[in-house]
């Protein structure tokens, strides 16, 4: 099951011309057909300001039109409905110019007012949008007047002003990550036909390539082509399928059998005991079985407040070379995770995935690790937190104990404690390393992803166990950048800091595994790093 994102008659005229134009540009890709998905879970919320798991956002990447979006579902930021934007007032005011030509699936034009209305709905006290946290945060994005609306004291966010084709948004303080927040589906162009104060559960007008044509809760959700979406400035995405149907609450084995028989087209929740045999039959990432990463990593967390790792870069680096990431990923099951060596997950905006640039290796390099660790064991004692639940976590903890002993810690000096400690554990505490910790992205901003690992580098008045004024300066400089320049800067710093400061030991990815029918054209499978799923407009059937 995927994780953590209108019923209109087709026009009697013009549709044939639209089909011909898009078909001509398809260059060999089949145009048309309904892509059928089976899901073991309950249906997702379809309201644009309410939906907040990756399945909902996957659908909304096809139905939404945003000011700025991710190019072809990837990790390059490009203008969509906004033709341009400017920043003024010391970074506190953003002015967007809205393109002409975007229309909702009911035929009404998209204007600056539709984005202002989206922000009003997100902030609305009665609607209770989970997106409100992203525009009322005094430590992040805080739009002027949003907190008053969220508190029930107003209905319109006063810091959002519409002047003709211009959308003006004022922030309480500068926030260079604001553009990334606006790529979240919460802030898409929203029809004023949607009620301000309560959730929409059925079809509604949307301005992307597709729109929700049906939502029969817990039974079936359907999207179909927006009849008013035509190619033009900001509208360059492919649109191969006629639509997509998701059938909810199906049996796991039944979904697999129906995909195998070409009665459904995608299974994202394969029976665990069949995964290896499917991989053996079809190969991996070739035809019908595909493995792609989520925006999460599993890692070893170092307690840099305690004496062992405090300002002890050589030992932290040594452990990164001593651990065997391939062994560590294996207990999760076939293709559930892959070895990974730096903080930003593969495919995440800004992440650098070139193998030659990775700071560590999938397999342990004990000689190199011992050379780095020599003279830096300090007390020679280490306390490892192992997560006691399930089968995977104890196995991973045992592997870490093995690797620490191979590095040079004496067996009697490796103490295992069985409890769960996530990234929010507050040191000092009686532990040195947590063996099974995971972290997932809430937004597409790399700053937000690895801030918890490096929080003491941002504030020079609060030095912690990493204590690098040079990298603190670089991080603060990168955090002032906007857009793709910000992604490039953080991507480079990710590799440098992971290698040179070793704030943690990244270990594995968390993977999505997919099985497709033989009807699906493998060449149309374009994976979105930002949305952790396939680009629906690019999908095509044979």
């Amino acid at each position: 099951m995927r994780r953590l994102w209108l019923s209109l008659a087709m026009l009697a005229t013009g549709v044939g011309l639209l089909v011909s134009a898009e078909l001509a540009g398809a260059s060999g890709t089949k145009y048309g057909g309904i892509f059928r998905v089976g899901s073991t879970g309950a249906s997702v919320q379809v309201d644009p300001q309410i939906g907040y798991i990756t399945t909902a956002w996957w659908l909304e990447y096809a139905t939404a039109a945003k000011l700025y979006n991710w190019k072809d579902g990837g990790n390059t930021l490009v203008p969509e409905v906004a033709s341009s934007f400017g920043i003024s007032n010391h970074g506190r005011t953003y002015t967007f110019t809205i393109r002409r030509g975007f229309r909702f699936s009911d035929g009404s034009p998209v204007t600056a007012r539709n984005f202002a209305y989206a922000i009003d709905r997100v902030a609305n006290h009665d609607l209770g949008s989970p997106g409100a946290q992203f525009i009322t945060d005094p430590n992040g994005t805080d739009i002027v007047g949003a907190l008053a609306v969220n508190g029930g004291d107003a209905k319109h966010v006063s810091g959002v002003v519409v002047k003709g084709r211009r959308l003006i948004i004022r922030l309480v303080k500068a926030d260079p990550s604001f553009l990334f927040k606006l790529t979240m589906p919460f802030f898409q162009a929203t029809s004023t036909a949607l009620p301000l104060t309560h959730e929409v559960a059925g079809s509604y007008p949307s301005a992307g390539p597709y729109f929700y044509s049906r939502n029969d809760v817990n039974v079936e959700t359907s999207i179909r082509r927006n009849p008013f979406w035509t190619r033009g400035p900001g509208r360059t995405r492919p649109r191969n399928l006629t639509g997509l149907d998701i059938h909810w609450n199906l049996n796991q084995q039944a979904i697999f059998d129906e995909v195998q028989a070409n009665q459904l087209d995608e299974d994202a929740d394969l029976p665990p005991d069949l995964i290896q045999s499917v991989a053996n039959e079809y190969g991996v990432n070739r035809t019908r079985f595909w493995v792609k990463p989520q925006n999460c990593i599993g890692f070893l967390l170092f307690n840099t407040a305690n004496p062992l790792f405090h300002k002890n870069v050589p030992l932290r680096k040594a452990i990164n070379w001593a651990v065997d990431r391939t062994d560590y990923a294996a207990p999760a099951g076939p293709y559930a995770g892959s070895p990974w060596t730096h903080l930003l997950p593969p495919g995440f905006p800004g992440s650098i995935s070139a193998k030659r640039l990775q700071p560590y290796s999938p397999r342990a390099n004990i000689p190199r690790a011992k050379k780095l660790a020599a003279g830096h064991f300090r007390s020679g004692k280490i306390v490892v937190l192992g997560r006691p639940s399930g089968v995977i976590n104890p196995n991973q903890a045992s592997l870490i104990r093995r690797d620490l002993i191979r590095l040079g810690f004496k067996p009697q000096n490796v103490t295992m404690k069985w409890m769960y400690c996530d990234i929010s554990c507050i040191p000092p505490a009686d532990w040195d390393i947590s063996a099974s910790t995971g972290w997932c992205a809430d937004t597409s901003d790399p700053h937000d992803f690895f801030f918890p690992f490096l929080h003491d580098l941002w504030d020079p008045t609060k030095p912690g166990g990493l204590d690098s004024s040079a990298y603190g300066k670089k991080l603060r400089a990168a955090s002032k950048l906007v857009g793709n320049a910000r992604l490039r800067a953080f991507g480079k710093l990710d590799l440098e800091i992971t290698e040179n400061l070793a704030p943690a030991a990244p270990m594995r990815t968390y993977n999505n595994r997919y099985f497709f029918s033989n009807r699906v054209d493998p060449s149309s499978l374009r994976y979105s790093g930002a949305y952790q799923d396939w680009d629906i407009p690019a999908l095509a059937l044979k």
Side-chain angles (χ1 to χ4, degrees):
M1 178 63 180
R2 292 178 171 85
R3 298 180 309 110
L4 172 64
W5 296 1
L6 318 170
S7 181
L8 293 173
M10 294 295 286
L11 294 181
T13 60
V15 175
L17 293 175
L18 175 61
V19 171
S20 298
E22 291 192 283
L23 182 58
S27 185
T29 300
K30 180 181 176 181
Y31 184 82
I34 305 298
F35 192 92
R36 303 164 305 201
V37 180
S39 174
T40 57
S43 62
V44 299
Q45 294 170 295
V46 299
D47 187 298
Q49 277 75 53
I50 296 291
Y52 191 38
I53 64 172
T54 55
T55 307
W57 283 15
W58 171 60
L59 292 168
E60 290 184 51
Y61 180 68
T63 63
K66 307 171 192 174
L67 293 167
Y68 270 68
N69 212 337
W70 299 103
K71 183 179 180 181
D72 298 329
N75 54 13
T76 300
L77 202 59
V78 293
E80 189 172 28
V81 184
S83 60
S84 62
F85 77 99
I87 305 175
S88 58
N89 191 25
H90 304 289
R92 296 195 296 271
T93 301
Y94 284 70
T95 302
F96 299 90
T97 301
I98 305 303
R99 301 183 196 270
R100 293 186 175 93
F102 276 85
R103 297 168 74 188
F104 288 98
S105 51
D106 63 0
S108 58
V110 173
T111 69
R113 173 62 185 142
N114 296 116
F115 290 99
Y117 190 66
I119 294 173
D120 283 345
R121 285 194 93 230
V122 167
N124 187 270
H125 175 269
D126 294 328
L127 185 65
S129 168
Q133 63 186 306
F134 299 107
I135 58 171
T136 59
D137 181 3
N139 297 312
T141 298
D142 190 1
I143 298 179
V144 172
L147 193 58
V149 175
N150 197 237
D153 298 322
K155 290 186 177 180
H156 171 64
V157 177
S158 60
V160 180
V161 178
V162 172
K163 291 185 178 181
R165 292 172 54 213
R166 290 187 300 156
L167 175 73
I168 302 167
I169 304 175
R170 293 186 295 118
L171 306 179
V172 174
K173 67 175 184 177
D175 178 20
S177 73
F178 181 49
L179 206 59
F180 296 132
K181 305 292 197 321
L182 292 179
T183 68
M184 302 172 85
F186 299 127
F187 306 107
Q188 65 184 275
T190 301
S191 170
T192 55
L194 274 67
L196 183 65
T197 61
H198 62 270
E199 179 181 356
V200 170
S203 61
Y204 60 85
S206 55
Y210 295 85
F211 72 100
Y212 282 103
S213 60
R214 176 189 179 191
N215 186 46
D216 189 353
V217 175
N218 291 330
V219 178
E220 182 178 330
T221 300
S222 301
I223 63 173
R224 294 294 184 266
R225 291 187 190 127
N226 173 358
F228 295 95
W229 191 91
T230 58
R231 295 184 69 83
R235 301 181 302 280
T236 59
R237 298 160 68 185
R239 192 172 66 157
N240 299 319
L241 299 170
T242 300
L244 179 147
D245 293 340
I246 300 185
H247 303 274
W248 307 104
N249 285 324
L250 300 183
N251 175 269
Q252 186 181 52
Q253 184 65 48
I255 295 174
F256 177 83
D257 292 341
E258 289 187 37
V259 172
Q260 183 85 285
N262 300 320
Q263 296 167 349
L264 290 173
D265 295 309
E266 181 190 295
D267 178 2
D269 187 18
L270 287 76
D273 58 326
L274 296 179
I275 290 173
Q276 189 60 62
S277 63
V278 171
N280 293 342
E281 182 173 357
Y282 298 106
V284 180
N285 296 344
R286 295 177 184 175
T287 57
R288 297 183 64 175
F289 178 65
W290 290 71
V291 177
K292 292 294 180 179
Q294 300 174 9
N295 286 344
C296 305
I297 62 165
F299 60 95
L300 309 183
L301 181 64
F302 298 136
N303 185 353
T304 58
N306 274 7
L308 182 62
F309 290 119
H310 185 75
K311 298 183 182 180
N312 193 350
V313 174
L315 185 61
R316 298 198 303 263
K317 290 173 68 173
I319 289 175
N320 268 283
W321 283 109
V323 292
D324 194 302
R325 293 171 169 86
T326 301
D327 287 353
Y328 185 89
Y335 307 102
S338 304
W340 191 244
T341 65
H342 57 99
L343 299 178
L344 293 180
F348 190 83
S351 181
I352 297 172
S353 299
K355 289 184 179 180
R356 62 184 177 83
L357 297 176
Q358 300 309 299
Y360 303 104
S361 62
R363 285 292 187 184
N365 187 331
I366 298 299
R368 185 168 185 173
K370 284 186 172 182
K371 186 175 180 180
L372 285 165
H376 298 283
F377 285 95
R378 294 185 176 172
S379 69
K381 297 180 179 180
I382 187 168
V383 177
V384 180
L385 289 185
R387 193 172 180 177
S389 59
V391 175
I392 298 171
N393 296 309
N395 282 346
Q396 290 175 332
S398 297
L399 289 169
I400 298 308
R401 183 179 189 277
R402 177 203 69 182
D403 292 342
L404 291 172
I405 292 170
R406 294 199 303 181
L407 175 63
F409 284 96
K410 294 180 180 180
Q412 64 269 27
N413 288 339
V414 181
T415 301
M416 304 298 296
K417 287 197 171 184
W418 298 99
M419 62 172 285
Y420 175 61
C421 181
D422 64 16
I423 201 168
S424 64
C425 278
I426 301 174
D430 189 15
W431 63 276
D432 297 301
I433 188 169
S434 180
S436 297
T437 311
W439 182 242
C440 297
D442 282 329
T443 74
S444 54
D445 184 6
H447 169 284
D448 292 347
F449 189 86
F450 62 66
F451 177 82
F453 298 98
L454 309 170
H455 57 87
D456 61 299
L457 296 183
W458 259 275
D459 187 350
T461 67
K462 298 178 181 179
L466 301 180
D467 195 34
S468 171
S469 58
Y471 277 114
K473 184 177 180 180
K474 288 182 178 182
L475 284 168
R476 289 189 292 275
S479 69
K480 295 177 181 179
L481 298 175
V482 176
N484 293 315
R486 183 182 181 90
L487 299 180
R488 290 190 293 269
F490 275 113
K492 181 180 179 182
L493 281 172
D494 173 31
L495 297 185
E496 289 184 11
I497 289 173
T498 306
E499 181 174 11
N500 297 330
L501 290 186
M507 298 296 289
R508 58 163 287 195
T509 64
Y510 291 82
N511 294 338
N512 289 324
R513 295 165 290 187
Y514 304 89
F515 182 45
F516 293 101
S517 76
N518 199 39
R519 299 196 323 144
V520 178
D521 181 355
S523 67
S524 73
L525 295 172
R526 182 185 296 165
Y527 194 76
S528 164
Y531 290 101
Q532 309 171 69
D533 217 321
W534 303 103
D535 181 345
I536 292 173
L539 288 172
L541 301 174
K542 294 177 182 176

